[in-house]
Amino acid sequence: MSGRGATRRQAVLAGGIAMAGIGTPLAALAAVDKALQKKLQRAALGGSIHIEQAKMVALEAIANGRLLGPRETTTIRVLQDHANEHAALLAMLSKGDLGVEPPLAPDRSAIPGLRSLRSAHASIRLGIDLERRAIGAHLRTLRVLRDAPLLRAIPQVLASDGQHLVLLRQLLGEDAVPSAFERGTV
């Protein structure tokens, strides 16, 4: 068949036999791909949950830290409540949809910059940094998700975090919306 005399029928038949021989490896590859996809989804969602928990812990510490005035404290407490709701929703979906327990909330000492806060400005700046990190984490999570409830929830959390940035920038007297798109940070 490798010579010039091979017919189309022989070539098609040979191709079919070759494909049948790799059917099992293709099925195994698909199973590995599905397992890898699930692992990536779990890891990404864990990152989104972790940053929402970190915001929750940090914002509580900032609100209780006596560096802010009443207006700033009120805003920070609202953002803390939102972070609590975000973390709870994502944790519930992690357990229910992906079958994995969410990560534990970090200790205050594990949040970079929290212990060294000495002013209202630095406290709000840390809030902005955490919101930007959350936006980055949620965007990364969206790239790997295949779960419909999570694909509905993450954009809502992402939009809320964008609103938080506006409020925090306003507290600092900065341009509240410096760009049409928030991309977050790593």
Side-chain angles (χ1 to χ4, degrees), residues 41-124:
Q41 287 184 81
R42 288 176 174 170
L45 182 59
S48 282
I49 294 169
H50 179 76
I51 189 62
E52 288 296 331
Q53 292 171 330
K55 283 178 13 187
M56 178 179 75
V57 170
L59 293 172
E60 178 184 31
I62 290 169
N64 293 337
R66 304 195 195 297
L67 293 173
L68 305 177
R71 177 175 161 242
E72 292 89 359
T73 300
T74 299
T75 300
I76 294 296
R77 288 207 187 278
V78 168
L79 302 186
Q80 177 197 354
D81 289 344
H82 290 183
N84 290 347
E85 290 178 40
H86 295 167
L89 172 65
L90 296 177
M92 180 192 71
L93 290 171
S94 177
K95 283 193 263 185
D97 289 18
L98 297 182
V100 66
E101 288 292 322
L104 296 175
D107 186 73
R108 287 181 180 187
S109 62
I111 300 170
L114 185 59
R115 291 182 129 184
S116 62
L117 295 176
R118 301 289 180 257
S119 69
H121 185 273
S123 299
I124 296 168

Side-chain angles (χ1 to χ4, degrees), residues 7-181:
T7 66
R8 280 189 194 168
R9 186 173 292 142
Q10 289 171 323
V12 169
L13 180 60
I17 291 169
M19 290 304 289
I22 64 169
T24 302
L26 285 178
L29 182 60
V32 168
D33 185 46
K34 194 170 190 171
L36 179 60
Q37 181 63 35
K38 194 163 199 152
K39 186 175 182 177
L40 290 172
Q41 287 184 81
R42 288 176 174 170
L45 182 59
S48 282
I49 294 169
H50 179 76
I51 189 62
E52 288 296 331
Q53 292 171 330
K55 283 178 13 187
M56 178 179 75
V57 170
L59 293 172
E60 178 184 31
I62 290 169
N64 293 337
R66 304 195 195 297
L67 293 173
L68 305 177
R71 177 175 161 242
E72 292 89 359
T73 300
T74 299
T75 300
I76 294 296
R77 288 207 187 278
V78 168
L79 302 186
Q80 177 197 354
D81 289 344
H82 290 183
N84 290 347
E85 290 178 40
H86 295 167
L89 172 65
L90 296 177
M92 180 192 71
L93 290 171
S94 177
K95 283 193 263 185
D97 289 18
L98 297 182
V100 66
E101 288 292 322
L104 296 175
D107 186 73
R108 287 181 180 187
S109 62
I111 300 170
L114 185 59
R115 291 182 129 184
S116 62
L117 295 176
R118 301 289 180 257
S119 69
H121 185 273
S123 299
I124 296 168
R125 180 66 48 209
L126 177 60
I128 288 172
D129 178 57
L130 289 168
E131 292 294 351
R132 294 188 71 227
R133 287 180 30 215
I135 287 169
H138 301 325
L139 288 172
R140 286 188 299 280
T141 299
L142 280 173
R143 290 184 190 122
V144 298
L145 282 181
R146 299 296 176 261
D147 180 77
L150 284 164
L151 283 169
R152 285 188 297 273
I154 293 286
Q156 292 173 334
V157 171
L158 185 58
S160 179
D161 288 347
Q163 291 174 327
H164 297 172
L165 275 178
V166 169
L167 292 172
L168 291 168
R169 288 174 180 149
Q170 286 175 333
L171 288 177
L172 291 181
E174 295 179 358
D175 183 0
V177 188
S179 171
F181 300 99

